[in-house]
Amino acid sequence: MVPVFEAMLDRYPTVEALARAPLRDVRALTDPLGYKIRGRWLKGTAVIVAEERAGYFPRTVDALRELPGVGRYTAGAVMSFAHHLDAPILDTNVARLLRRYFGITAAPSARPTHLWQLAAAVIPRGQGYLINQALIDLGALVCTARTPRCVTCPIRRGCAWRQRT
């Protein structure tokens, strides 16, 4: 991923440069990453930002979600990590962590709305960047799918799942 990112920045240092690039050239860089629609989305987003937004990316989750390929997770991540604004994120690891901590026993796909509400509720005002990074790291490194490391988890005392096991 990093070499592709660096190649993209070298070849297209501005959103305007990316907007002017032929789609085939953008895809030549992005397609090897898999999920081959990404190059088209990236190029489409660049065109919208360059031509309709004077080079400025949207600064709200709803406005970001109007861009090609930007879903709820990506919009929340951009707002949280790029702008340090409070916006929930919910990837597989964070969802697993929240389900376990709050004792949600429904199937992983059964309660996405509730999980998004929890992801938003656990963010103290002004701390979205820190909390989201912590949730991602805890879910990926401690509250793992197969072998959770409950003994080292900093939030184990309040975890409903740990209390049941």
Side-chain angles (χ1 to χ4, degrees):
M1 180 73 187
V2 172
V4 171
F5 176 72
E6 290 171 346
M8 288 291 294
L9 286 181
D10 285 344
R11 186 174 273 180
Y12 311 114
T14 65
V15 71
E16 292 82 8
L18 181 58
R20 289 189 304 269
L23 177 59
R24 70 180 176 283
D25 293 350
V26 174
R27 292 191 64 193
L29 288 170
T30 61
D31 281 3
L33 294 173
Y35 203 55
K36 297 188 182 219
I37 193 72
R38 285 187 179 132
R40 183 179 318 235
W41 287 341
L42 191 59
K43 163 81 174 164
T45 291
V47 168
I48 291 168
V49 170
E51 295 178 3
E52 298 175 19
R53 300 191 53 85
Y56 292 95
F57 279 84
R59 300 225 7 145
T60 67
V61 169
D62 290 339
L64 276 170
R65 290 189 67 195
E66 293 175 4
L67 297 173
V70 178
R72 194 170 183 180
Y73 173 82
T74 300
V78 168
M79 296 312 301
S80 180
F81 299 126
H83 302 300
H84 288 225
L85 297 173
D86 296 340
I89 58 168
L90 190 66
D91 67 1
T92 303
N93 294 322
V94 173
R96 180 179 52 255
L97 175 79
L98 293 173
R99 280 194 316 275
R100 286 179 177 169
Y101 186 83
F102 289 104
I104 299 169
T105 57
S109 60
R111 304 199 44 133
T113 301
H114 183 59
L115 289 173
W116 276 104
Q117 291 168 345
L118 286 174
V122 300
I123 300 174
R125 187 168 190 178
Q127 300 297 311
Y129 171 80
L130 294 172
I131 293 299
N132 284 333
Q133 189 62 60
L135 291 173
I136 289 170
D137 290 346
L138 276 174
L141 302 172
V142 178
C143 192
T144 60
R146 295 192 194 342
T147 350
R149 295 170 181 86
C150 298
V151 173
T152 63
C153 182
I155 61 172
R156 67 184 172 271
R157 287 191 182 109
C159 180
W161 189 77
R162 177 148 193 253
Q163 292 170 8
R164 279 194 303 232
T165 58

